[in-house]
């Protein structure tokens, strides 16, 4: 790092940790910091830059989670291999739009650790009600006519601005297609791609997407994960021409795909005609440490990434509004084959979301929910750490669930069943596997906390403690 | 008819024409009036029953349109062959829910005779706005949570009641699946049926459905129409295992499928395992003469009819709410393969429609729109009859468009193009054919009137008169 000096500018509006992050990232991308180079320790760097150690830690965390650097126990941080010349054209701002709500399933359990639990008690219902009423009075006829088949133009413009600002997604509003939920949009996407494809998916994965592909008649090729990432060699050897990933926050593992693996994916895509990457960015707004991870789409220069976003988590599950960002070639396929479909989201819903965003409710609500979930997250993490029957905790930087490895003689199935009998619903990790892993040792449980109070979490954990 | 006497009961609440209709219908179904038997003339019957001739005419019209009797020029009316023992278990009431609105496409033309034109200026926007606002205030959390994947239970109950009352559809709310538009529901239906089927469709037909089947990868077998009905012999000879029909009002021909043909379809369906009939009942509420035609679904005892209904026309296009009524066996397929899909219609939209119906707005709005469209229909029909360049008018009993055969030396394509050049958009019938008919003589145009004023219709016709 000798020839590579970081200059901090404390007067700049940009936070210090972000300046450190950017300097190191650019150093790695531009080759000033070669692969394998050891970075200064956080203590050394903090002294050198005259800033607090936690500022440097935050920057390193971000670099770590994005895969620019790796950490080796007792040795420190090292620059990763980032060979391709992809650059982030415009670095992400640390925006405030960062929280989401999630599906709440009506539950017959005392305590339900569903990863889809949500807290909607603080949603600004009167504001949304007023917006809808006013739309009916002011623009009623437009609300009841057929809308633009791609989606309302002003909503698409807002989505476009939002994605650029917060996700580094670069697109024009013309590339955006609004539809009634992720599954619907995946179905339509497959109609653009045509029949008979093979999709590679991580195992474990998001089963809704898996089932949708199966219903369409696509083959699904499960790809194992190493160190919580999709194994690139297995993808390379597979027959897949489409890959479905969640780079910002893998479900259910809660990991972030490192930059190196992202670039490998993009390389894989350009190796053959008509290979595509589906990037499901379902809850990226919601991250507790560091800033949100930029989307894979922003790195793609070859038009091979299809970005899938949703308001199900950033507003509420029942809005049923998702959107695709299509590369140019697929946009033409959409116009040719699917242009006749009417938009599946009612105009009144689209316009309400547009006004909800424009009038600032969206951002305010996200910030409020972020702090609500952050508090729940911290509480649960503290409680889990107290449990002697938990040998490992992971996936703790973002999302609405944590994972924990349980130290017990019971099998995962037995554990889940016995908890259920006691009125506590827990979710075994193996439920999300497409192919059963050979030797998955101890049980791993998902602990969703979005819909639970602190008392409920405590009650649930106490119950599990009595079983393991 | 000697041994078959009709007894009228003038004190009964049932209209006289309906009593005549039912008596003759039951006589035919029960075999008292054998096939080929000549019915009394309307004049004779009116004298015999001491009622007005127009009452008898109305009853005969209904019997004619449902295919119980046929008319032979200069000879009179004859009973049709209705061999099967299907009965309408509960005869349709003449309900008041009978009008619809339709898609309005934003048009760059002076006059656009689109069959999707709608008149939405009189929709009760303030009522709908108030309903939505109150739902957000009273049941906000429920509105924003994920709803029942099949659809909101109370909306499904309302649809069930409505279908039974007005369409003779017999089902339980459990059989109803609410979804974001007809195309979405057809896609999901095909996922229940599985890949690799062949669908028989009339030619001409509703192209949105055709394109949807093609996108799914189904083969489509076009079936010619004879006297405006699907040719049963061609269906029998085809490889199709699914048939898509619009028995109540064929689009674009505007015909009603006769009872005999309906029974043949049901017979075809039961001849093999896994044959299904998709009944698209898109605008049955909207009929100007006689009462609505009962749905095919109500005749089905074997669970082979899938009924597809929509609020796009009975409320407004942008609501994007349609529904399937599934037979038991497909319901099980849905649960097994598609039960994981969240409902594609936002809860707030479903609940708003439920309240719109419950509070009487739905019926009032339908009645208002029916009279609006009836006036437009009558005006256009009168104007068309004055045109010397029109040799034939058909499809005039229901819907939002009329068809007219044009007496001109121009081809249909030339005529449509020249009108377009003059700023008048007309729609040639041949656009809707799947296979080009061998010798389709004179041009036939669709004249939609839903979105046009009387002045616009007059202006459009004057323009066409200058071209033909």
């Amino acid at each position: 790092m000798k020839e590579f000096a970081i200059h901090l500018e404390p007067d700049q509006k940009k936070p210090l940790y972000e300046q450190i992050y950017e300097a190191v990232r650019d150093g790695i991308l531009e080759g000033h910091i070669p692969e394998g180079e050891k970075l200064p320790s956080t203590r050394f760097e903090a002294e050198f830059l005259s800033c607090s150690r936690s500022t440097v830690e935050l920057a390193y965390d971000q670099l770590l989670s994005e895969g620019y650097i790796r950490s080796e126990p007792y040795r420190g941080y090292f620059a990763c291999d980032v060979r391709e010349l992809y650059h982030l054209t415009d670095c992400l701002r640390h925006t405030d739009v960062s929280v989401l709500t999630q599906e709440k399933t009506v539950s017959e359990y005392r305590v339900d650790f569903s990863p889809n639990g949500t807290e909607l008690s603080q949603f600004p219902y009167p504001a949304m009600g007023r917006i809808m009423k006013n739309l009916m009075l002011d623009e009623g006829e437009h609300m009841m006519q057929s809308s633009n088949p791609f989606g309302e133009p002003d909503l698409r413009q807002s989505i476009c601005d939002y994605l650029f600002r917060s996700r580094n997604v670069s697109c024009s509003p013309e590339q955006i297609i609004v539809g009634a939920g992720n599954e619907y949009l995946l179905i339509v996407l497959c109609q653009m791609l045509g029949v008979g494809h093979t999709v590679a998916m991580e195992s474990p994965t998001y089963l809704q997407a898996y089932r949708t592909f199966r219903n369409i008649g696509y083959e699904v090729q499960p790809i194992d994960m190493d160190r919580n990432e999709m194994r690139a060699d297995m993808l390379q050897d597979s027959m897949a021409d489409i890959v479905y990933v969640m780079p910002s926050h893998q479900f259910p593992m809660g990991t972030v795909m490192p930059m190196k693996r992202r670039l490998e994916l993009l390389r894989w895509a350009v190796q053959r005609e008509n290979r595509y990457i589906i990037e499901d960015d379902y809850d990226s707004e919601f991250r507790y440490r560091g800033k949100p991870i930029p989307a894979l789409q922003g790195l793609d220069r070859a038009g091979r990434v299809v970005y899938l976003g949703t308001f199900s988590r950033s507003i509420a599950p029942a809005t049923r509004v998702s959107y695709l960002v299509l590369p140019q070639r697929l946009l033409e396929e959409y116009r040719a084959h699917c242009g006749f479909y009417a938009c599946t989201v009612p105009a009144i819903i689209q316009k309400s979301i547009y006004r909800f965003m424009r009038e600032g409710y969206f951002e305010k609500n996200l910030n409020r929910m972020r702090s609500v979930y952050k508090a729940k997250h911290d509480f649960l993490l503290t409680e889990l750490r107290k449990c002697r029957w938990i040998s490992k905790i992971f996936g703790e930087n973002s999302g609405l669930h944590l994972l924990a490895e349980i130290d017990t003689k019971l099998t995962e199935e037995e554990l889940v069943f016995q908890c259920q009998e006691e009125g506590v619903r827990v979710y075994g990790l193996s439920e999300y596997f497409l192919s059963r892993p050979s030797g998955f040792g101890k049980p791993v449980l998902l602990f969703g906390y979005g819909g639970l109070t602190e008392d409920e979490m405590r009650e649930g954990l106490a119950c599990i403690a009595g079983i393991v």
Side-chain angles (χ1 to χ4, degrees), chain A:
Chain A
M1 287 283 283
K2 273 166 208 143
E3 73 280 30
F4 183 71
I6 296 174
H7 302 287
L8 292 189
E9 295 174 32
D11 292 337
Q12 239 195 322
K13 275 194 177 168
K14 202 173 276 184
L16 287 181
Y17 91 89
E18 200 164 326
Q19 294 182 44
I20 301 170
Y21 156 82
E22 280 179 21
V24 178
R25 183 200 62 188
D26 294 344
I28 292 172
L29 280 172
E30 287 156 27
H32 303 307
I33 308 174
E35 187 204 354
E37 175 102 19
K38 186 174 183 303
L39 268 68
S41 70
T42 51
R43 178 190 300 256
F44 177 89
E45 187 83 88
E47 277 170 17
F48 179 78
L49 295 171
S50 309
C51 68
S52 84
R53 199 170 154 190
S54 68
T55 302
V56 180
E57 281 173 352
L58 205 54
Y60 279 20
D61 266 352
Q62 187 73 28
L63 290 161
L64 203 57
S65 69
E66 289 181 31
Y68 288 101
I69 63 174
R70 64 176 193 277
S71 147
E72 295 188 9
Y74 311 111
R75 294 195 55 221
Y77 297 97
F78 297 81
C80 286
D81 174 17
V82 190
R83 266 170 299 182
E84 297 281 316
L85 282 172
Y86 288 109
H87 287 260
L88 296 173
T89 48
D90 190 24
C91 154
L92 271 185
R93 299 284 152 71
H94 187 114
T95 52
D96 288 324
V97 279
S98 338
V99 173
L100 40 122
T101 58
Q102 238 171 327
E103 249 185 79
K104 176 163 196 161
T105 46
V106 178
S107 178
E108 67 271 37
Y109 300 100
R110 272 194 298 152
V111 179
D112 187 345
F113 282 105
S114 166
N116 297 322
T118 43
E119 169 73 55
L120 283 171
S121 64
Q122 300 186 44
F123 188 86
Y125 299 109
M128 191 55 111
R130 185 182 45 72
I131 287 172
M132 288 184 161
K133 191 195 78 183
N134 289 343
L135 278 169
M136 274 293 167
L137 292 175
D138 305 343
E139 303 180 42
E141 208 159 330
H142 177 64
M143 292 304 104
M144 296 310 248
Q145 294 284 13
S146 269
S147 63
N148 186 310
F150 284 61
E152 288 290 308
D154 43 15
L155 176 63
R156 284 153 69 209
Q157 182 67 59
S158 295
I159 291 172
C160 188
D161 297 344
Y162 169 70
L163 287 180
F164 181 71
R165 205 158 35 86
S166 69
R167 306 295 303 125
N168 206 43
V169 166
S170 62
C171 67
S172 68
E174 288 69 39
Q175 289 171 265
I176 295 177
I177 291 163
V178 175
N182 281 17
E183 283 70 54
Y184 170 73
L185 286 173
L186 284 179
I187 290 169
V188 171
L189 176 61
C190 292
Q191 294 190 358
M192 294 172 229
L193 296 167
V195 293
H197 291 284
T198 300
V199 188
M201 299 184 85
E202 289 147 324
S203 177
T205 193
Y206 179 58
L207 294 180
Q208 298 275 107
Y210 168 73
R211 293 191 188 116
T212 304
F213 289 127
R214 296 296 296 137
N215 274 358
I216 289 154
Y218 276 17
E219 286 297 316
V220 174
Q221 177 95 49
I223 307 279
D224 293 344
M225 294 172 83
D226 57 4
R227 277 210 207 155
N228 305 326
E229 301 143 17
M230 180 183 255
R231 277 183 54 186
D233 57 329
M234 278 187 71
L235 174 62
Q236 206 53 270
D237 294 344
S238 78
M239 299 295 292
D241 47 4
I242 296 163
V243 58
Y244 168 93
V245 284
M246 297 160 276
S248 304
H249 187 223
Q250 208 271 353
F251 186 88
M253 297 305 285
T255 53
V256 174
M257 186 181 286
M259 184 54 70
K260 186 180 169 207
R261 197 55 60 92
R262 290 176 190 228
L263 298 177
E264 281 170 356
L265 268 190
L266 290 170
R267 235 178 351 248
W268 169 86
V270 296
Q271 275 168 4
R272 296 249 196 300
E273 279 295 294
N274 297 318
R275 280 185 173 172
Y276 288 100
I277 301 165
I278 302 172
E279 176 179 28
D280 186 349
D281 202 34
Y282 67 107
D283 78 348
S284 55
E285 292 95 348
F286 196 53
R287 193 168 163 73
Y288 307 113
R289 269 185 86 89
K291 54 182 193 169
I293 316 294
L296 183 54
Q297 197 268 4
L299 298 172
D300 174 30
R301 294 291 168 275
R304 299 309 183 95
V305 173
V306 178
Y307 178 93
L308 176 59
T310 177
F311 287 106
S312 288
R313 301 186 170 216
S314 59
I315 296 184
T319 54
R320 304 307 307 152
V321 183
S322 295
Y323 45 89
L324 283 176
V325 180
L326 292 179
Q328 204 56 42
R329 204 159 65 183
L330 285 182
L331 191 59
E332 281 153 29
E333 294 293 324
Y334 185 84
R335 287 199 185 112
H337 297 294
C338 305
F340 71 92
Y341 289 131
C343 184
T344 41
V345 182
I348 180 86
I349 297 291
Q350 295 189 60
K351 278 282 199 176
S352 299
I353 292 179
Y354 163 68
R355 289 202 181 175
F356 195 71
M357 293 175 96
R358 196 189 60 184
E359 295 175 19
Y361 292 106
F362 180 72
E363 201 170 315
K364 257 182 270 174
N365 184 53
L366 273 182
N367 288 336
R368 184 169 42 227
M369 292 319 296
R370 172 186 221 162
S371 70
V372 168
Y373 288 131
K374 175 81 164 69
K376 291 188 185 210
H377 168 273
D378 292 351
F379 177 83
L380 180 61
L381 192 58
T382 309
E383 291 298 307
L384 289 176
R385 283 182 177 148
K386 289 183 203 159
C387 297
R388 296 217 176 156
W389 43 275
I390 287 179
S391 45
K392 202 171 138 195
I393 297 171
F394 46 108
E396 71 271 32
N397 287 330
S398 63
L400 291 178
H401 73 276
L402 299 168
L403 296 108
E405 189 182 81
I406 314 295
D407 200 4
T408 174
K409 296 238 165 78
L410 298 172
T411 66
E412 195 176 285
E413 213 176 329
E414 288 164 350
L415 179 58
V416 170
F417 179 76
Q418 290 191 27
C419 289
Q420 221 159 323
E421 292 289 290
E422 299 291 325
V424 174
R425 179 77 170 99
V426 290
Y427 296 79
L429 178 59
S430 57
E431 293 177 27
Y432 301 92
F433 276 88
L434 303 181
S435 49
R436 199 151 287 266
S438 49
F440 215 76
K442 291 178 186 162
V444 174
L445 299 183
L446 276 74
F447 288 96
Y449 49 81
L452 298 179
T453 63
E454 297 190 350
D455 282 348
E456 285 167 335
M457 292 187 228
R458 229 187 239 123
E459 184 185 347
L461 293 180
C463 170
I464 302 169
I467 289 167
V468 293

